[in-house]
């Protein structure tokens, strides 16, 4: 709700920067961002220039991949500036020293890169494109100001292997959809989980496709094959994708010991698998 007065009662509030998927937009995970905000997080969801549904330019994929983690860092810079700014409604209400990064699909890769994945190559990018940009792998695109990372149905190993994931030094929560044909769990999500140092968590959602974790099925109905039957309803997938991150962030960002039960408990809904 635009213009609503923030509640200072439990400030300062931790922050989350949310990275959208390939050819999507900052609106793509509005339901998830709203849920986080209702639980006392301030969420920044920037557009990644030249990689949104409005301005995508496939000739600039290398530039986009390099800039995505930098966009996340710039969003945190902005939140820090905003918090110190006199007269802003959120001024003084942000705990910018307690920050998490999250993302879906290409945004899931972005979140992993910000978390410390030392990038040996870039998804959808040929080595000669990096040479044109004057960049040579391995690349450190991390930002140590973040203390936790969430990757929903991330892209990654199927394009670029798993080398460098061992460099991640923060808690990570991964999500995978059993019927995800864009980022198949056995090719992308599970290898990322297996090669990321603990503490890591993996939630696999049975019969879930790629886009049910976001609002893309609502924003562009009929465009994606996994938005309707036989795939699991997006509403159910989103309930799962809301509950586990709230527990994860409460434990690893807020640092409250009253969190953590959901991550270690039986599935919330039938068909959810949480590996130990």
């Amino acid at each position: 709700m635009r213009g609503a007065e923030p509640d200072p009662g439990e400030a300062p509030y931790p922050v989350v920067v949310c990275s959208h998927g390939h050819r999507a937009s900052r609106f793509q995970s509005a339901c998830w961002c709203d849920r986080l905000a209702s639980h006392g997080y301030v969420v920044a969801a920037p557009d990644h220039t030249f990689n949104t549904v409005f301005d995508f330019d496939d000739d600039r994929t290398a530039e986009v991949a390099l800039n995505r983690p930098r966009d996340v860092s710039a969003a945190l810079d902005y939140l820090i500036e905003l918090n110190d700014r006199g007269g802003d409604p959120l001024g003084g209400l942000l705990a910018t020293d307690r920050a998490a990064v999250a993302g879906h699909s290409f945004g899931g890769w972005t979140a992993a890169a910000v978390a410390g994945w030392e990038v040996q190559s870039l998804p959808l990018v040929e080595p000669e494109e990096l040479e044109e940009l004057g960049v040579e792998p391995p690349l450190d695109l991390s930002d140590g100001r973040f203390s936790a990372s969430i990757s929903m149905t991330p892209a990654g190993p199927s394009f670029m292997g798993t080398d460098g994931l061992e460099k991640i030094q923060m808690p990570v929560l991964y999500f995978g959809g059993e019927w995800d044909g864009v980022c198949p769990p056995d090719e992308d999500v599970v290898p990322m989980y297996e090669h990321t140092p603990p503490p890591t968590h993996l939630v696999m959602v049975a019969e879930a496709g790629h886009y049910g974790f976001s609002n893309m099925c609502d924003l562009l109905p009929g465009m994606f094959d996994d938005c309707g039957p036989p795939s699991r309803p997006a509403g159910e997938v989103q309930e799962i994708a809301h509950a586990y991150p709230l527990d994860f962030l409460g434990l690893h960002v807020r640092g409250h010991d009253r969190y953590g039960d959901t991550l270690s408990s039986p599935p919330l809904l039938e068909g959810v698998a949480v590996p130990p």
Side-chain angles (χ1 to χ4, degrees), residues 37-135:
S38 76
H39 282 259
Y41 295 88
V42 173
V43 185
D47 277 338
H48 294 294
T49 305
F50 304 125
N51 198 222
T52 76
V53 68
F54 308 108
D55 70 351
F56 68 87
D57 185 344
D58 287 342
D59 291 334
R60 307 181 77 151
T61 300
E63 177 186 347
V64 164
L66 282 172
N67 283 336
R68 277 176 151 270
R70 296 167 180 169
D71 290 344
V72 169
S73 294
L76 183 56
D77 290 340
Y78 175 78
L79 291 175
I80 292 171
E81 176 190 343
L82 181 152
N83 196 46
D84 295 335
R85 185 188 306 162
D88 192 282
L90 291 175
L93 299 183
L94 309 184
T96 53
D97 58 334
R98 290 183 286 151
V101 57
H104 173 259
S105 193
F106 203 174
W109 173 88
T110 304
V114 171
W117 188 359
E118 186 178 75
V119 179
Q120 313 299 313
S121 61
L122 295 175
L124 309 177
V125 174
E126 298 297 328
E128 54 267 24
E129 295 181 77
L130 293 181
E131 292 180 11
E132 293 176 3
L133 292 171
V135 177

Side-chain angles (χ1 to χ4, degrees), residues 121-197:
S121 61
L122 295 175
L124 309 177
V125 174
E126 298 297 328
E128 54 267 24
E129 295 181 77
L130 293 181
E131 292 180 11
E132 293 176 3
L133 292 171
V135 177
E136 183 178 353
L139 303 173
D140 181 1
L141 301 172
S142 64
D143 189 332
R145 297 175 298 175
F146 291 92
S147 56
S149 174
I150 300 172
S151 288
M152 294 185 180
T153 61
S158 60
F159 295 102
M160 47 188 285
T162 58
D163 289 348
L165 280 165
E166 72 279 357
K167 299 286 188 179
I168 294 177
Q169 297 295 316
M170 67 178 65
V172 180
L173 171 62
Y174 291 111
F175 278 91
E178 181 188 16
W179 292 353
D180 187 345
V182 179
C183 298
D186 58 335
E187 297 179 21
D188 282 306
V189 186
V190 173
M192 290 180 74
Y193 168 70
E194 291 177 339
H195 287 83
T196 300

Side-chain angles (χ1 to χ4, degrees), residues 192-243:
M192 290 180 74
Y193 168 70
E194 291 177 339
H195 287 83
T196 300
T200 53
H201 309 273
L202 172 63
V203 177
M204 290 294 299
V205 185
E207 302 178 358
H210 188 71
Y211 298 99
F213 291 87
S214 71
N215 287 107
M216 292 302 288
C217 294
D218 303 319
L219 295 172
L220 298 171
M223 178 169 285
F224 308 109
D225 292 338
D226 61 5
C227 286
S231 293
R232 193 182 196 121
E236 286 189 14
V237 178
Q238 290 164 9
E239 282 302 308
I240 297 165
H242 294 160

